[in-house]
mmCIF file of all heavy atoms in Angstrom:
data_model
loop_
_atom_site.group_PDB
_atom_site.id
_atom_site.type_symbol
_atom_site.label_atom_id
_atom_site.label_comp_id
_atom_site.label_asym_id
_atom_site.label_seq_id
_atom_site.Cartn_x
_atom_site.Cartn_y
_atom_site.Cartn_z
ATOM 1 N N LEU A 473 12.986 19.803 8.557
ATOM 2 C CA LEU A 473 12.182 18.969 7.664
ATOM 3 C C LEU A 473 11.882 19.660 6.347
ATOM 4 O O LEU A 473 11.760 19.006 5.307
ATOM 5 C CB LEU A 473 10.866 18.581 8.371
ATOM 6 C CG LEU A 473 10.981 17.577 9.515
ATOM 7 C CD1 LEU A 473 9.626 17.414 10.208
ATOM 8 C CD2 LEU A 473 11.462 16.223 8.991
ATOM 9 N N MET A 474 11.772 20.988 6.386
ATOM 10 C CA MET A 474 11.469 21.721 5.157
ATOM 11 C C MET A 474 12.639 21.730 4.170
ATOM 12 O O MET A 474 12.470 22.085 3.004
ATOM 13 C CB MET A 474 11.058 23.153 5.501
ATOM 14 C CG MET A 474 9.682 23.293 6.107
ATOM 15 S SD MET A 474 8.371 22.711 5.017
ATOM 16 C CE MET A 474 8.394 23.956 3.745
ATOM 17 N N LYS A 475 13.831 21.326 4.621
ATOM 18 C CA LYS A 475 14.976 21.282 3.720
ATOM 19 C C LYS A 475 14.824 20.181 2.675
ATOM 20 O O LYS A 475 15.594 20.114 1.698
ATOM 21 C CB LYS A 475 16.266 21.074 4.523
ATOM 22 C CG LYS A 475 16.661 22.289 5.353
ATOM 23 C CD LYS A 475 18.007 22.097 6.019
ATOM 24 C CE LYS A 475 18.403 23.321 6.806
ATOM 25 N NZ LYS A 475 18.575 24.502 5.954
ATOM 26 N N ALA A 476 13.841 19.309 2.853
ATOM 27 C CA ALA A 476 13.592 18.268 1.859
ATOM 28 C C ALA A 476 12.995 18.823 0.585
ATOM 29 O O ALA A 476 12.914 18.131 -0.435
ATOM 30 C CB ALA A 476 12.645 17.206 2.461
ATOM 31 N N TYR A 477 12.541 20.083 0.600
ATOM 32 C CA TYR A 477 11.863 20.667 -0.532
ATOM 33 C C TYR A 477 12.689 21.830 -1.111
ATOM 34 O O TYR A 477 13.412 22.524 -0.386
ATOM 35 C CB TYR A 477 10.477 21.184 -0.133
ATOM 36 C CG TYR A 477 9.625 20.136 0.522
ATOM 37 C CD1 TYR A 477 9.511 20.090 1.915
ATOM 38 C CD2 TYR A 477 8.976 19.164 -0.216
ATOM 39 C CE1 TYR A 477 8.727 19.129 2.541
ATOM 40 C CE2 TYR A 477 8.202 18.188 0.391
ATOM 41 C CZ TYR A 477 8.078 18.175 1.777
ATOM 42 O OH TYR A 477 7.323 17.214 2.397
ATOM 43 N N LYS A 478 12.545 22.065 -2.398
ATOM 44 C CA LYS A 478 13.181 23.202 -3.035
ATOM 45 C C LYS A 478 12.535 24.482 -2.550
ATOM 46 O O LYS A 478 11.306 24.627 -2.616
ATOM 47 C CB LYS A 478 13.078 23.099 -4.542
ATOM 48 C CG LYS A 478 13.946 22.012 -5.174
ATOM 49 C CD LYS A 478 13.845 22.062 -6.700
ATOM 50 C CE LYS A 478 14.743 20.999 -7.333
ATOM 51 N NZ LYS A 478 14.650 21.040 -8.816
ATOM 52 N N GLU A 479 13.353 25.403 -2.070
ATOM 53 C CA GLU A 479 12.839 26.690 -1.621
ATOM 54 C C GLU A 479 12.579 27.590 -2.819
ATOM 55 O O GLU A 479 13.145 27.400 -3.903
ATOM 56 C CB GLU A 479 13.859 27.336 -0.671
ATOM 57 C CG GLU A 479 13.377 28.612 -0.004
ATOM 58 C CD GLU A 479 12.053 28.444 0.732
ATOM 59 O OE1 GLU A 479 12.083 28.046 1.920
ATOM 60 O OE2 GLU A 479 10.999 28.681 0.111
ATOM 61 N N VAL A 480 11.665 28.531 -2.639
ATOM 62 C CA VAL A 480 11.406 29.514 -3.677
ATOM 63 C C VAL A 480 12.530 30.544 -3.651
ATOM 64 O O VAL A 480 12.779 31.160 -2.617
ATOM 65 C CB VAL A 480 10.049 30.212 -3.440
ATOM 66 C CG1 VAL A 480 9.814 31.283 -4.494
ATOM 67 C CG2 VAL A 480 8.917 29.192 -3.435
ATOM 68 N N PRO A 481 13.214 30.749 -4.769
ATOM 69 C CA PRO A 481 14.295 31.752 -4.767
ATOM 70 C C PRO A 481 13.776 33.150 -4.506
ATOM 71 O O PRO A 481 12.628 33.480 -4.832
ATOM 72 C CB PRO A 481 14.859 31.649 -6.200
ATOM 73 C CG PRO A 481 14.366 30.341 -6.738
ATOM 74 C CD PRO A 481 13.059 30.068 -6.069
ATOM 75 N N HIS A 482 14.603 33.980 -3.909
ATOM 76 C CA HIS A 482 14.190 35.367 -3.627
ATOM 77 C C HIS A 482 13.838 36.100 -4.899
ATOM 78 O O HIS A 482 12.988 36.982 -4.901
ATOM 79 C CB HIS A 482 15.310 36.110 -2.877
ATOM 80 C CG HIS A 482 15.310 35.854 -1.400
ATOM 81 N ND1 HIS A 482 14.226 36.101 -0.594
ATOM 82 C CD2 HIS A 482 16.291 35.389 -0.578
ATOM 83 C CE1 HIS A 482 14.510 35.800 0.660
ATOM 84 N NE2 HIS A 482 15.756 35.351 0.699
ATOM 85 N N TRP A 483 14.507 35.739 -6.027
ATOM 86 C CA TRP A 483 14.255 36.511 -7.239
ATOM 87 C C TRP A 483 12.843 36.264 -7.781
ATOM 88 O O TRP A 483 12.320 37.103 -8.512
ATOM 89 C CB TRP A 483 15.322 36.216 -8.300
ATOM 90 C CG TRP A 483 15.287 34.852 -8.925
ATOM 91 C CD1 TRP A 483 15.991 33.762 -8.568
ATOM 92 C CD2 TRP A 483 14.508 34.461 -10.081
ATOM 93 N NE1 TRP A 483 15.719 32.689 -9.379
ATOM 94 C CE2 TRP A 483 14.818 33.098 -10.321
ATOM 95 C CE3 TRP A 483 13.602 35.119 -10.909
ATOM 96 C CZ2 TRP A 483 14.213 32.400 -11.373
ATOM 97 C CZ3 TRP A 483 13.020 34.400 -11.939
ATOM 98 C CH2 TRP A 483 13.330 33.057 -12.176
ATOM 99 N N TRP A 484 12.214 35.146 -7.412
ATOM 100 C CA TRP A 484 10.807 34.953 -7.813
ATOM 101 C C TRP A 484 9.949 36.025 -7.175
ATOM 102 O O TRP A 484 9.149 36.697 -7.828
ATOM 103 C CB TRP A 484 10.316 33.570 -7.382
ATOM 104 C CG TRP A 484 10.859 32.433 -8.194
ATOM 105 C CD1 TRP A 484 11.999 32.397 -8.953
ATOM 106 C CD2 TRP A 484 10.273 31.131 -8.295
ATOM 107 N NE1 TRP A 484 12.147 31.149 -9.504
ATOM 108 C CE2 TRP A 484 11.112 30.367 -9.126
ATOM 109 C CE3 TRP A 484 9.135 30.528 -7.767
ATOM 110 C CZ2 TRP A 484 10.848 29.034 -9.464
ATOM 111 C CZ3 TRP A 484 8.864 29.205 -8.083
ATOM 112 C CH2 TRP A 484 9.697 28.463 -8.924
ATOM 113 N N TYR A 485 10.080 36.149 -5.844
ATOM 114 C CA TYR A 485 9.284 37.167 -5.146
ATOM 115 C C TYR A 485 9.713 38.573 -5.548
ATOM 116 O O TYR A 485 8.878 39.459 -5.709
ATOM 117 C CB TYR A 485 9.440 36.997 -3.639
ATOM 118 C CG TYR A 485 8.732 35.806 -3.074
ATOM 119 C CD1 TYR A 485 9.436 34.671 -2.688
ATOM 120 C CD2 TYR A 485 7.339 35.799 -2.907
ATOM 121 C CE1 TYR A 485 8.782 33.565 -2.157
ATOM 122 C CE2 TYR A 485 6.683 34.709 -2.380
ATOM 123 C CZ TYR A 485 7.408 33.592 -2.007
ATOM 124 O OH TYR A 485 6.755 32.497 -1.491
ATOM 125 N N GLY A 486 11.036 38.765 -5.732
ATOM 126 C CA GLY A 486 11.499 40.070 -6.150
ATOM 127 C C GLY A 486 10.956 40.466 -7.517
ATOM 128 O O GLY A 486 10.600 41.641 -7.748
ATOM 129 N N SER A 487 10.829 39.484 -8.405
ATOM 130 C CA SER A 487 10.273 39.774 -9.737
ATOM 131 C C SER A 487 8.813 40.161 -9.650
ATOM 132 O O SER A 487 8.359 41.070 -10.352
ATOM 133 C CB SER A 487 10.430 38.528 -10.627
ATOM 134 O OG SER A 487 11.792 38.205 -10.814
ATOM 135 N N VAL A 488 8.067 39.479 -8.779
ATOM 136 C CA VAL A 488 6.649 39.829 -8.601
ATOM 137 C C VAL A 488 6.536 41.266 -8.101
ATOM 138 O O VAL A 488 5.716 42.044 -8.596
ATOM 139 C CB VAL A 488 5.983 38.873 -7.601
ATOM 140 C CG1 VAL A 488 4.563 39.345 -7.235
ATOM 141 C CG2 VAL A 488 5.893 37.461 -8.175
ATOM 142 N N PHE A 489 7.387 41.619 -7.149
ATOM 143 C CA PHE A 489 7.352 42.977 -6.600
ATOM 144 C C PHE A 489 7.730 44.015 -7.667
ATOM 145 O O PHE A 489 7.028 45.023 -7.854
ATOM 146 C CB PHE A 489 8.286 43.090 -5.406
ATOM 147 C CG PHE A 489 8.336 44.464 -4.791
ATOM 148 C CD1 PHE A 489 7.389 44.865 -3.867
ATOM 149 C CD2 PHE A 489 9.326 45.363 -5.143
ATOM 150 C CE1 PHE A 489 7.423 46.136 -3.301
ATOM 151 C CE2 PHE A 489 9.377 46.628 -4.597
ATOM 152 C CZ PHE A 489 8.424 47.020 -3.669
ATOM 153 N N ILE A 490 8.821 43.795 -8.389
ATOM 154 C CA ILE A 490 9.297 44.781 -9.373
ATOM 155 C C ILE A 490 8.304 44.921 -10.510
ATOM 156 O O ILE A 490 7.993 46.054 -10.956
ATOM 157 C CB ILE A 490 10.687 44.364 -9.890
ATOM 158 C CG1 ILE A 490 11.709 44.455 -8.761
ATOM 159 C CG2 ILE A 490 11.101 45.224 -11.068
ATOM 160 C CD1 ILE A 490 13.068 43.890 -9.118
ATOM 161 N N ILE A 491 7.773 43.823 -11.010
ATOM 162 C CA ILE A 491 6.781 43.894 -12.102
ATOM 163 C C ILE A 491 5.529 44.621 -11.653
ATOM 164 O O ILE A 491 5.008 45.493 -12.358
ATOM 165 C CB ILE A 491 6.449 42.491 -12.621
ATOM 166 C CG1 ILE A 491 7.682 41.857 -13.310
ATOM 167 C CG2 ILE A 491 5.272 42.531 -13.579
ATOM 168 C CD1 ILE A 491 7.492 40.401 -13.680
ATOM 169 N N SER A 492 5.055 44.283 -10.448
ATOM 170 C CA SER A 492 3.855 44.952 -9.935
ATOM 171 C C SER A 492 4.107 46.450 -9.724
ATOM 172 O O SER A 492 3.245 47.282 -10.025
ATOM 173 C CB SER A 492 3.420 44.297 -8.615
ATOM 174 O OG SER A 492 3.125 42.944 -8.785
ATOM 175 N N PHE A 493 5.292 46.768 -9.236
ATOM 176 C CA PHE A 493 5.646 48.167 -9.002
ATOM 177 C C PHE A 493 5.705 48.932 -10.320
ATOM 178 O O PHE A 493 5.180 50.049 -10.439
ATOM 179 C CB PHE A 493 6.978 48.242 -8.257
ATOM 180 C CG PHE A 493 7.351 49.602 -7.762
ATOM 181 C CD1 PHE A 493 6.437 50.392 -7.060
ATOM 182 C CD2 PHE A 493 8.623 50.099 -7.983
ATOM 183 C CE1 PHE A 493 6.792 51.643 -6.587
ATOM 184 C CE2 PHE A 493 8.986 51.365 -7.523
ATOM 185 C CZ PHE A 493 8.066 52.145 -6.818
ATOM 186 N N GLY A 494 6.292 48.314 -11.341
ATOM 187 C CA GLY A 494 6.386 48.953 -12.635
ATOM 188 C C GLY A 494 5.029 49.150 -13.290
ATOM 189 O O GLY A 494 4.727 50.223 -13.833
ATOM 190 N N VAL A 495 4.203 48.107 -13.230
ATOM 191 C CA VAL A 495 2.856 48.222 -13.809
ATOM 192 C C VAL A 495 2.028 49.256 -13.068
ATOM 193 O O VAL A 495 1.143 49.891 -13.670
ATOM 194 C CB VAL A 495 2.177 46.844 -13.821
ATOM 195 C CG1 VAL A 495 0.716 46.948 -14.298
ATOM 196 C CG2 VAL A 495 2.944 45.859 -14.699
ATOM 197 N N SER A 496 2.292 49.445 -11.788
ATOM 198 C CA SER A 496 1.565 50.457 -11.000
ATOM 199 C C SER A 496 1.755 51.849 -11.602
ATOM 200 O O SER A 496 0.815 52.668 -11.624
ATOM 201 C CB SER A 496 2.028 50.439 -9.554
ATOM 202 O OG SER A 496 1.775 49.203 -8.935
ATOM 203 N N PHE A 497 2.966 52.153 -12.087
ATOM 204 C CA PHE A 497 3.179 53.449 -12.736
ATOM 205 C C PHE A 497 2.339 53.574 -14.003
ATOM 206 O O PHE A 497 1.820 54.655 -14.301
ATOM 207 C CB PHE A 497 4.661 53.621 -13.070
ATOM 208 C CG PHE A 497 5.516 53.964 -11.880
ATOM 209 C CD1 PHE A 497 6.285 52.983 -11.263
ATOM 210 C CD2 PHE A 497 5.556 55.259 -11.375
ATOM 211 C CE1 PHE A 497 7.083 53.296 -10.175
ATOM 212 C CE2 PHE A 497 6.344 55.573 -10.271
ATOM 213 C CZ PHE A 497 7.105 54.589 -9.671
ATOM 214 N N ALA A 498 2.208 52.458 -14.736
ATOM 215 C CA ALA A 498 1.366 52.494 -15.928
ATOM 216 C C ALA A 498 -0.088 52.777 -15.552
ATOM 217 O O ALA A 498 -0.792 53.513 -16.259
ATOM 218 C CB ALA A 498 1.477 51.143 -16.671
#
């Protein structure tokens, strides 16, 4: 049933992780 909806691409979550990780160094 969930196939009726657009899934969130992995790169959305990956971007959140990478940006947060980079800002953590700052």
Side-chain angles (χ1 to χ4, degrees):
L473 289 173
M474 287 299 290
K475 290 185 179 297
Y477 306 100
K478 288 184 178 180
E479 187 54 87
V480 177
H482 277 304
W483 70 265
W484 287 22
Y485 287 105
S487 298
V488 171
F489 179 83
I490 293 171
I491 293 172
S492 300
F493 190 47
V495 174
S496 298
F497 284 101

